[in-house]
Amino acid sequence: MKPTWTCDSDLARTRPPLSAVHKRIALTAGEPAGIGPDICLDVARRELDCELVCFASADVLEARARALGHGVRIERFDPKLRRRHQAGVLQVLDLPYPHPTRAGIIEPRNAPQLLATLQQAVVAVRDLAFDALVTAPVNKAALSTPARVFHGHTEFIAQLCGASQPVMLLVGGGLRVALATTHLPLREVASAICAATLERILAVLDDGLRRHFAIARPRLAVCGLNPHAGESGQLGDEETAVIAPAVHAAASRGIDVAGPFPADTIFVPDQRRDFDAILAMYHDQGLPVLKAGAFGAAVNVTLGLPIIRTSVDHGTALSLAATGRASSGSLLAAIETALDMARQTA
């Protein structure tokens, strides 16, 4: 998949020094049939201390703005200009879809262009034309084919960036929860966990919290895989054979880490307050706890990339598209988190 637009020629050479301008954020609108366009338009109505550029179809955004009655003005992005976001105006790098789109109904023939749009946004940030990437949700099934399985944003972006160990970190409700495995069927989780991988994940998590969240010495907790963290081997041996050795190896490298802890108690407030982040072994071990207290305001952060990338904590919500009922709270939090990370990293 070859981008039709590259930032090397169009953007990077015209970019002023970062200290002289507002941070420039690349925003992808995600699945055009879902709520991605809605929430992008909604955040565009707000005051934002950055330059915001949406990688999307201008026609889709304009049609959705009319349907919602938002009155947001769509302006074509000019890479030679640097300007702070203006409430009620959305700069768009126009990447039209080859086939018509309808709210709530996915058009599979648009999948290649949706992937190309995401790729172009990643390239723009990777090549330093933008300071961070924020992504609205996509539909994994719609982007998968018999020849190519789309596991998710995290894996796709990591591949484009050549990152060998991306780490998904969810932030919200006073919690930071990282995942040892992401979008895997539950039956595959145990075989996907190994001590060497866990040690690398802990190193990425430790480094990411230091660099992007200004935590001088992160304190990390690690969940067990099995109930009661294996109950001394009675309920499984992954804790003693895999997880504990990884924790010990990471600690020997200077990482402040402890565990494995039973997942049903480490999230209790009295326990979790001793740690800056908790590493869960699989998606539905840690994220239900975080989302129970912060859904709609949590942020998905990808660590281990050469770029800053954040996203929302929800899916495409096809049934809510163009209804006016979709909340942009998570997208706004993702933009604000990306800005904080960019300022911390600069």
Side-chain angles (χ1 to χ4, degrees):
M1 188 189 313
K2 183 179 180 180
T4 57
W5 171 89
T6 62
C7 68
D8 285 331
S9 59
D10 295 338
L11 292 173
R13 292 182 301 183
T14 62
R15 176 179 178 161
L18 285 179
S19 60
V21 295
H22 292 281
K23 298 296 184 184
R24 178 182 266 175
I25 305 297
L27 170 66
T28 59
E31 168 56 52
I35 63 171
D38 306 45
I39 59 179
C40 288
L41 290 164
D42 194 52
V43 297
R45 298 194 294 173
R46 304 169 183 263
E47 295 288 342
L48 300 171
D49 188 22
C50 65
E51 180 177 11
L52 186 69
V53 179
C54 190
F55 286 59
S57 164
D59 287 343
V60 169
L61 289 170
E62 287 170 344
R64 195 64 59 86
R66 290 193 298 271
L68 294 169
H70 274 348
V72 175
R73 185 169 77 251
I74 305 300
E75 292 189 353
R76 299 313 195 265
F77 170 59
D78 184 345
K80 297 181 178 62
L81 301 178
R82 294 300 300 259
R83 51 182 174 174
R84 185 179 183 275
H85 173 74
Q86 179 183 346
V89 178
L90 182 59
Q91 291 191 84
V92 177
L93 196 153
D94 186 23
L95 297 165
Y97 288 101
H99 302 282
T101 65
R102 293 175 59 191
I105 302 176
I106 290 176
E107 171 51 79
R109 294 176 296 174
N110 283 328
Q113 178 60 15
L114 178 52
L115 285 175
T117 297
L118 177 58
Q119 179 178 359
Q120 293 193 45
V122 173
V123 169
V125 183
R126 187 194 66 192
D127 292 352
L128 303 181
F130 288 76
D131 298 286
L133 171 66
V134 179
T135 59
V138 296
N139 184 291
K140 298 177 184 63
L143 293 177
S144 295
T145 67
R148 180 201 65 241
V149 177
F150 182 85
H151 292 290
H153 268 120
T154 299
E155 295 80 3
F156 184 75
I157 295 170
Q159 183 179 25
L160 290 175
C161 292
S164 60
Q165 191 61 73
V167 174
M168 182 184 291
L169 174 72
L170 272 288
V171 180
L175 281 168
R176 298 185 188 93
V177 179
L179 300 180
T181 61
T182 53
H183 301 111
L184 282 181
L186 189 57
R187 65 178 176 270
E188 298 178 15
V189 169
S191 59
I193 295 171
C194 71
T197 299
L198 289 178
E199 187 180 351
R200 289 194 297 269
I201 289 171
L202 287 168
V204 170
L205 180 56
D206 178 75
D207 178 69
L209 293 174
R210 291 173 188 267
R211 291 199 300 123
H212 298 308
F213 291 87
I215 302 174
R217 184 170 171 77
R219 301 162 300 166
L220 310 180
V222 178
C223 292
L225 174 65
N226 299 296
H228 302 176
E231 195 78 70
S232 300
Q234 296 300 306
L235 300 176
D237 67 352
E238 285 83 5
E239 284 75 18
T240 56
V242 178
I243 301 174
V247 170
H248 296 154
S252 70
R253 296 173 53 185
I255 296 174
D256 189 351
V257 58
F261 296 102
D264 63 347
T265 56
I266 189 59
F267 291 102
V268 173
D270 283 346
Q271 297 283 347
R272 75 190 192 209
R273 69 165 54 100
D274 293 331
F275 300 98
D276 297 299
I278 298 171
L279 177 63
M281 291 297 104
Y282 56 94
H283 188 280
D284 283 10
Q285 184 182 61
L287 298 197
V289 180
L290 182 140
K291 290 187 177 185
F295 187 73
V299 178
N300 181 351
V301 178
T302 306
L303 301 178
L305 300 175
I307 67 172
I308 292 169
R309 181 258 171 164
T310 66
S311 190
V312 294
D313 68 347
H314 57 75
T316 53
L318 296 173
S319 64
L320 296 181
T323 67
R325 301 201 309 271
S327 170
S328 64
S330 183
L331 183 62
L332 179 62
I335 292 171
E336 292 174 341
T337 299
L339 281 171
D340 289 342
M341 293 172 67
R343 293 173 183 132
Q344 179 64 33
T345 309

